[in-house]
Amino acid sequence: MMQSIIFPLIGGFALFMFGMKIMEFALHLWAGPHLKRLLHRSTSTPIHGMLFSSVMTAIMQSSTAITVISIGLVNAGLMTFQRSLGIILGTNIGTTLTTELIGLNINHYALPLLLCAVTAWIWGVIANDIFPDMLPSLHTWWKPLQYAAIATAGFSFILFGIEWMKAISEPLQQRGLFTWFLERSQDSLLWALLAGMIITALVHSSAAIIAMAMGLSATGALPVEVGIAIVIGSNVGTCFTALIASLGGSRSGQFVAWSHVALNVGGALLFYPLIHLLHDISAMISGTESAQIAHAQTIFNIASSLLALPLCYLPLWKRLR
C-alpha cells in the first residue's frame, strides 16, 4: 500500500503544490506591484469588479491571493465593502482556468514545456546581463520573459504531479475503504461533497483536490458525478483561508470573507440537486471524464457568480462599514 498508493499520492500532490506555488509566485512578481492600484481603480461597479477580478485571478492563478488582498484593502479603509463584492464573484470565475487547462489532457507536454521554460529563462538571464544598454527598448521584456518562463515551469510540474497521482487509481480500486466511499457516494453524493469541502479546507487548495478528482476520473476509478460533487465541495472548502485572513480585521473585512462563504455555500445548495444535470451538460461539451469535471466546475462557478451579481447592487451594502 505504501509504494502503490501513499508514495505516489503524496509525491504527486507535493509536486502539484510545488508547481502551483512556483506559478503563483512568478505571476505575483509580474502582476503584484500593480494589483492593489488596479483593484481599487477597476471596482467602480460590481460588474466591473467581477470582470477585472476574473481576469486577474486567471492571470495570477490564485483566487485566495485576490480575496486576501481585497480583505486587506477593506481593512485598511482603501476600499468599501460594496466594491469588494464584484471582486469576490470574479475570483470564482477566474479560478476555473487551471482546471480547464488540466482538462485538455496535455500531460504528455509536461517535459517539452519544462525544457522550453528553462531555455527561455536562461536566455532571459543572459540577455539581461549582456544587452542591458545595447537594447534599451527590449530591456523591459527580459524580466517578464523570466517570470513567464518560471510560471510555465510551474505548470509543467503541475502536469507531472497529476500524472504521478494517476498511478494510484488501479491499487486504490482494490482497497475496501475506497470501495466503501464509492458505495456511500452512490447512495448520496453528499459524502463526496463533504470530502471535497473538508480536504480543501485542510490543504488550502481547491485546484489540487479538483485535479486529483479529474485524474482519478480519467482512469475510470471515480465516477464523473462523484467528481463533480467533490468540485462543489472544494469551492466551499476554499472559503476557509479567507475566513482565517479576516480574523482580527475590521467588521467590513470580515464581511468580505463571509460574502465569499455565502456565495459558495449558496451555490452548493443550489447546484447540489442539479449534479446530474451538470454532468449531462458537460458530457455534451466533451467526451472525456476529466474534461467533463472541468466544464462542470466552470458552469457551476460562472452560473453562481452571475446569479449573485444582481444582489451586489442592493443599496443596503452601502450602509455596511
Side-chain angles (χ1 to χ4, degrees), residues 100-310:
E100 287 291 349
L101 289 174
I102 295 171
L104 294 176
N105 292 320
I106 55 175
N107 295 352
H108 52 285
Y109 293 120
L111 184 58
L113 277 175
L114 182 60
L115 294 175
C116 290
V118 172
T119 302
W121 181 80
I122 291 173
W123 277 107
V125 172
I126 293 174
N128 193 47
D129 289 340
I130 297 178
F131 306 116
D133 300 320
M134 295 177 62
L135 298 172
S137 60
L138 297 178
H139 181 57
T140 54
W141 289 92
W142 302 140
K143 282 296 181 184
L145 175 63
Q146 290 175 275
Y147 296 152
I150 295 171
T152 303
F155 185 68
S156 68
F157 281 119
I158 289 174
L159 298 180
F160 280 127
I162 292 171
E163 196 64 28
W164 198 354
M165 284 190 287
K166 280 185 180 180
I168 72 171
S169 61
E170 186 173 342
L172 196 61
Q173 292 180 68
Q174 301 172 0
R175 299 292 166 176
L177 182 61
F178 187 71
T179 304
W180 178 88
F181 169 74
L182 289 182
E183 289 175 351
R184 299 289 80 74
S185 298
Q186 294 295 333
D187 297 334
S188 174
L189 291 173
L190 187 61
W191 285 90
L193 188 146
L194 291 173
M197 179 179 68
I198 294 171
I199 298 173
T200 299
L202 291 174
V203 303
H204 299 281
S205 176
S206 60
I209 305 307
I210 295 171
M212 189 182 301
M214 291 169 64
L216 291 174
S217 292
T219 59
L222 194 71
V224 173
E225 291 186 354
V226 175
I228 294 174
I230 291 173
V231 165
I232 294 176
S234 70
N235 276 269
V236 177
T238 196
C239 300
F240 186 66
T241 306
L243 288 175
I244 293 175
S246 69
L247 295 177
S250 67
R251 187 181 175 208
S252 295
Q254 293 174 4
F255 281 146
V256 176
W258 282 107
S259 66
H260 192 208
V261 174
L263 171 65
N264 287 289
V265 171
L269 292 174
L270 178 63
F271 280 93
Y272 174 73
L274 305 176
I275 287 178
H276 301 294
L277 180 61
L278 275 177
H279 181 201
D280 292 339
I281 295 174
S282 59
M284 293 170 57
I285 302 172
S286 175
T288 60
E289 290 80 359
S290 59
Q292 289 172 18
I293 293 178
H295 298 331
Q297 189 215 9
T298 300
I299 295 169
F300 166 73
N301 282 7
I302 292 177
S304 297
S305 292
L306 291 179
L307 288 172
L309 181 61

Side-chain angles (χ1 to χ4, degrees), residues 41-94:
R41 290 182 177 180
S42 305
T43 55
S44 55
T45 65
I47 191 168
H48 287 157
M50 183 183 74
L51 293 174
F52 177 77
S53 177
S54 299
V55 174
M56 291 308 300
T57 302
I59 290 174
M60 295 186 67
Q61 287 301 293
S62 177
S63 59
T64 300
I66 305 297
T67 303
V68 170
I69 289 173
S70 301
I71 292 173
L73 290 174
V74 172
N75 281 336
L78 300 176
M79 181 188 294
T80 63
F81 167 68
Q82 185 183 26
R83 284 194 168 209
S84 72
L85 291 174
I87 295 174
I88 298 301
L89 300 185
T91 57
N92 273 22
I93 296 175

